[in-house]
Amino acid sequence: MSEVAVADGRTARRGRLGTEVLPVGERLDARRALQLSLAAIWLLDAVLQYQAFMYSKGFTQMIGGTAAGNPSVIARPISWNATLVEHHLVLVNTIFATIQLLIGLGIAFRPTVRVALAASIAWAVGVWWFGEGLGGVLSGAGSPLNGAPGAVIIYALLAVLLWPADRDAAAPFIAGRAVGAHLARALWLVLWLSLAYLALTPANRAPQALNGVIAGMESGEPGWLAAADRGAASLVANRGLAASVVLAVALVLIAVGVYLPRPAAKATLLLAILVALVIWVFGEALGTILTGGGTDPNSGPLLVLLALTYWPVAAATRPTRPVGTEGMAV
Amino acid sequence: MTPAWILDIFAALMLVVAAVSAARLVVARPWQRGSALLDTDVSHLLMGIAMAGMLASGLTTLSNTAWVVIFALLTAWFAFRVLVDARANGVRALAGGHCAPHLVHGAAMVFMFGALAGPAGGGGSGMSGMDGSSGSAMQTLRYPTLAFVFALILIGYSIWDIDQLSGRRYSTTPARVAPVAVAVPAMVGAEPATATLPSPRATGAAAADGVPSGSAASAEARPAPGGYGGGAAARGLLLSPATTVGCRIAMGVTMALMLLLMI
């Protein structure tokens, strides 16, 4: 039944509608909040997978297209997968969507968070290969602006970093708690340096390369986003090398930022969030979700979420016991 | 095209939500003096029917205009509730209060019915079958950006609800909290309500019951008619806050799905 609005003052704040009095120390753990954000993105993925486009030949062509340029040992399984999907499109795509739905719901549902995170890692690695062609890293088609090194592999990385265990409970950021601060920093460094490297590959530093990537996203988008893409594309027209160098420098700064003192680290994390948002809006057109053909929101939101997992946390906010470890030794 | 049978599954889920909400209304007897209020369940009942009608090609319900009017009224009601909540509890209640998700649900329904594009938008039912056709061609929405924003918010609330539900923040039994008389506006059509102002002790009792303070169940100042005898467990579960939240999760996820399918 419904609720009655109540109260003011101190009591009311403690007993606000739709909330409950949480004993001190039981407020939402920062890692749990990040897990829930990851769950929300998985759920969004799942819902997008049920779209009409995913039940059309366009989807299988999209999968098959990721084989191009990859070594045959990588490309052959991709082609096999595309053929399988084409022959059993409705069944296979529905299974895909439902798996993602279960992963999203499973991460949000506390008793199954570990199982769901583990499943998400396995699923993400499989999709990275069979569905995204390793994000174009080996084919030379990957660019930080179009989602390289593959949005889905960032899901797996986030699942590892947000795993509900405390190997290093004193880590200065959430990502370090599950795998240790040193390894977490190394993973961050590798990711962002690889993005910097990809920004400088010949295909991406060509005079019209960035312009082409951005302008190519305009089709089918709502007016405001198409206009924004047009503006950004004209800004980098014939300035591919300069734009790539600027982007690469920013990415290198971001990569080393987690090794810097706290204020500088925060600044570089803010830069990471800004760059991720710029990539998401201008390079990825919000994952082309607004065209009805996006399979996922692409890498932008995941890079933002990743940056937040490295945000320095105060000692006082570090939690006591991770969700998903009830009744087990951590 | 998204297969019609998938949409039918979600339509069936919405009908289950509507049936559960109707059962809650019947069992709790909100028309009796002193009974708990009913806006959430009425909202879920209407939304369940309307969404099932949009999803399933074979279901014909009301006209789009009628639904827009109905959900606009519900949205206005929940907006009022959220404002009252915010005045009492601060601006955080605008997003985090109990009524905020219901407000978003209501607004999303108004948007869905009001922003249907093309001639298909003028008819009665059939997201998957325009005005009763048997195909699975989707109706589309004007303002896809707004649809996306609504979907994101709905997904966020659903994920939050699942977390809270699995964290046992919501009881699976009707709550019992001693009411403290504070007059506040209540439900349209309901008796003048006696709201529960949780004193620290009462609030603690609510929390001990696993019930969000000031939430649905906390308004139930006394056990529902019939006591807790035979069949009480099932009845208790039906009337529990957990059931309300479960319905809200199903509705939120389905609504997000519909919005994104109609982009």
Side-chain angles (χ1 to χ4, degrees), chain B residues 6-87:
Chain B
I6 290 177
L7 302 180
D8 288 344
I9 289 173
F10 282 99
L13 179 64
M14 287 303 93
L15 289 178
V16 169
V17 168
V20 168
S21 303
R24 284 167 56 88
L25 288 168
V26 170
V27 171
R29 302 175 196 173
W31 52 87
Q32 290 187 347
R33 182 178 176 81
S35 291
L37 308 181
L38 68 157
D39 54 358
T40 305
D41 289 306
V42 168
S43 162
H44 283 172
L45 175 61
L46 292 170
M47 286 180 191
I49 293 169
M51 288 165 69
M54 289 187 92
L55 284 161
S57 56
L59 283 177
T60 302
T61 57
L62 302 178
S63 69
N64 290 348
T65 309
W67 282 125
V68 167
V69 171
I70 289 169
F71 290 120
L73 289 172
L74 270 175
T75 303
W77 166 249
F78 283 117
F80 169 71
R81 295 278 308 275
V82 167
L83 286 175
V84 170
D85 191 8
R87 272 176 50 192

Side-chain angles (χ1 to χ4, degrees), chain A residues 1-3 6-7 11 17 32, chain B residues 24 39 81 88 98 196 198 216:
Chain A
M1 289 290 102
S2 181
E3 307 74 5
V6 250
T11 300
L17 290 176
R32 183 59 181 154
Chain B
R24 284 167 56 88
D39 54 358
R81 295 278 308 275
H98 172 80
T196 57

